[in-house]
Amino acid sequence: MKDAKPANTPMDSGYLKLDDGGEPFEDTTLYRSLVGALLYISVHARPDISISTSILGRRVTCPTASDWAAAKRIVRYLLGTKDWKLDFTGTGGDLIGYCDADWAGDQQSRKSTSGFCFLFGGAVVSWTSRRQSSVTLSSMEAEYMSLSEACREAVWLGKLLCEMGSMQKTATVIYEDNQGCISFVRSDRATKHVETQEHFVKELCKRNEIQLVYCPTEEMAADILTKPLGTLKQRKFAEMIGMTSVPVSGDTK
């Protein structure tokens, strides 16, 4: 596919709503091989394709021709953005996080997708895009489960930075775009099925290890990790997490 036409986005924004009853793709080994390679890239260097590869990874058992076409589209997107790199040239600054969730986005299981990322020195150093383990009953609950995962990552990253001699002197700011979720953390309300996460997140906030800050959905960088986006949002959020275009080897631009 080295001469294939580049794609503007890694996945069509309406892909999750497509009917899964398509023609089966016969070579499942080939499909798994490609998706596995794309997952490797998304985990190590390209957070902007994380949600797309995660979605296709859920279909390795019985992929369809549409899934195969979607996997090749990610390749075409990478061809068109092969000069995109994570830029770690920034200096100073504190660890900050963005947390989001796509409620009931999986059309088959109706499970939600968690997405969060942490930036340090202007570029993303940790990112996650994964389907939640259980069905949530509201968008607030989906956001809260994602926030709980993000808080655990923040604690680990804080300890890592401390060992590296860059201890956080203030609470780690996590941006959240769900007002109900923020209010729930700050209130005394209890919900039995999320009680464990509730105590964990609230305790971190009380100890001033985590500070929740509201972020408008239009500025939620973690949105790129929860669902396929259109061209403008895809590029905007990719730039927000520190992805920049630099000349590739042999490029004279």
Side-chain angles (χ1 to χ4, degrees), residues 31 53 71 93 99 104 112 116-117 125 138 149 157-158 167 187 191 211 238 242-243 246:
Y31 178 84
T53 54
C99 180
S112 306
F116 59 83
C117 59
V125 293
S138 67
E149 293 183 58
L157 288 172
M167 183 176 67
S187 71
T191 303
Q211 178 186 358
M243 299 210 70
V246 295

Side-chain angles (χ1 to χ4, degrees), residues 16 58 102-113 131:
L16 286 172
R58 303 168 192 172
D102 179 34
W103 180 44
D106 190 293
Q107 297 297 303
Q108 292 182 318
S109 66
R110 305 310 296 180
K111 292 180 179 178
S112 306
T113 298
R131 186 170 56 180

Side-chain angles (χ1 to χ4, degrees), residues 140 143-144 147 176 178-186 212:
M140 187 281 289
E143 295 276 358
Y144 193 78
L147 177 60
E176 169 63 52
N178 188 289
Q179 294 275 27
C181 180
I182 296 175
S183 299
F184 179 71
V185 174
R186 294 173 178 171
L212 294 182

Side-chain angles (χ1 to χ4, degrees), residues 21 28 44 46-47 51 55 64 91 110 118 121 136 167 169 172 179 181-182 241:
T28 57
H44 289 84
R46 295 297 298 264
I51 182 58
I55 291 171
T64 64
T91 58
R110 305 310 296 180
F118 286 90
T136 52
M167 183 176 67
K169 297 181 180 180
T172 300
Q179 294 275 27
C181 180
I182 296 175
I241 61 176

Side-chain angles (χ1 to χ4, degrees), residues 55-110:
I55 291 171
L56 295 181
R58 303 168 192 172
R59 308 185 180 188
V60 293
T61 304
C62 299
T64 64
S66 296
D67 296 329
W68 175 244
K72 290 194 293 183
R73 176 174 175 146
I74 298 178
V75 176
R76 293 194 292 114
Y77 171 76
L78 291 174
L79 282 171
T81 58
K82 61 183 178 181
D83 58 338
W84 284 21
K85 304 288 189 298
L86 285 174
D87 183 10
F88 295 104
T89 58
T91 58
D94 293 324
L95 183 72
I96 62 170
Y98 289 87
C99 180
D100 197 17
D102 179 34
W103 180 44
D106 190 293
Q107 297 297 303
Q108 292 182 318
S109 66
R110 305 310 296 180

